Amino acid sequence: MKDNILVTYRYEIFFLALLLQVLYPFLSLLFLVQIDFVRFLSFTILVLASFNLALRRIPRLLIIVFGVVSTLGVWGEYLMGDPYLIHLLRNYATCFFYIILIYVLTRNFLVSKSINLKIVIGAMSGYLLIGFLGSSTFEMIEFHHPGSFNIDSENPFNFTYLSFVSLLTVGYGDFIPISSAAKSITVLISLLGQLYMAVGIASFVGKSMAK
């Protein structure tokens, strides 16, 4: 029964887990809990919520593998003080984790024959995941090439903030890419966000008109 509930409401649960990942700095302030602990706990919840998203065997296996490695990495950083190899492993595993999830959710709404609330929530989750993928990619670039961004890299949420500001094409200008590689990835994230919305809207409208 419990397994059926988790599968039935997998999109809703995952979307709430994504919102938790967006809001963890505010929740840390609200409940007076150490921000790093809330960050790693929220990511762990996100990984656990992702395990039921893919019903096909290979994507689900990849989500579990990269999700587990990412989770071990974030807790390793929390408990061991951010050692180089653990940080590197966590960063790459997280990027692949987000890429697979974006593929699964995008495929779900593209191949679905009808549009319902669950498909819409899944598509919204895919859009948020592009922002998190950008965050991890920005962090990876700054890790390998310090100074690529005009940003306080000691606060990991700054990369998330920059990614979503770029994705939404808000452009406050408080954090900016400096190197050519950083600028190119920032452009790519912005383009992915716009293309995702364009394809999603076209797919939803087309299926609605076909009814």
Side-chain angles (χ1 to χ4, degrees), residues 9-185:
Y9 296 100
R10 62 189 184 277
Y11 294 118
E12 293 89 341
I13 294 171
F14 184 71
F15 183 72
L16 291 176
L18 283 171
L19 291 181
L20 182 63
Q21 187 72 1
V22 171
L23 295 173
Y24 80 80
F26 172 73
L27 296 175
S28 171
L29 182 65
L30 183 65
F31 295 108
L32 302 177
V33 182
Q34 185 186 16
I35 189 169
D36 284 339
F37 176 77
V38 180
R39 173 194 169 204
F40 298 142
L41 180 62
S42 65
F43 183 79
T44 303
I45 294 172
L46 176 65
V47 170
L48 292 174
S50 71
F51 288 168
N52 285 318
L53 280 182
L55 301 181
R56 298 168 66 202
R57 182 176 179 181
I58 293 179
R60 187 172 190 177
L61 178 62
L62 291 174
I63 288 173
I64 292 173
V65 169
F66 286 114
V68 169
V69 173
S70 300
T71 304
L72 292 175
V74 297
W75 285 103
E77 289 179 340
Y78 179 70
L79 298 173
M80 301 173 64
D82 197 14
Y84 177 86
L85 288 178
I86 291 180
H87 183 96
L88 190 68
L89 181 64
R90 188 268 304 168
N91 213 321
Y92 278 93
T94 303
C95 283
F96 284 112
F97 175 67
Y98 288 145
I99 288 171
I100 296 166
L101 286 173
I102 292 169
Y103 164 77
V104 168
L105 291 172
T106 304
R107 184 182 183 279
N108 284 349
F109 79 73
L110 288 178
V111 303
S112 64
K113 296 182 179 179
S114 61
I115 301 300
N116 54 46
L117 181 60
K118 293 183 183 299
I119 295 298
V120 173
I121 292 175
M124 290 163 53
S125 298
Y127 185 77
L128 292 178
L129 282 167
I130 295 175
F132 287 118
L133 175 61
S135 173
S136 294
T137 307
F138 293 165
E139 185 180 358
M140 184 188 303
I141 292 173
E142 183 67 18
F143 180 73
H144 288 293
H145 304 282
S148 294
F149 294 89
N150 179 19
I151 195 170
D152 176 16
S153 59
E154 294 299 317
N155 181 359
F157 190 77
N158 285 339
F159 293 106
T160 302
Y161 171 78
L162 174 60
S163 179
F164 277 96
V165 166
S166 302
L167 184 66
L168 297 168
T169 64
V170 177
Y172 289 122
D174 44 355
F175 300 128
I176 59 173
I178 300 297
S179 70
S180 296
K183 290 177 180 177
S184 66
I185 292 298

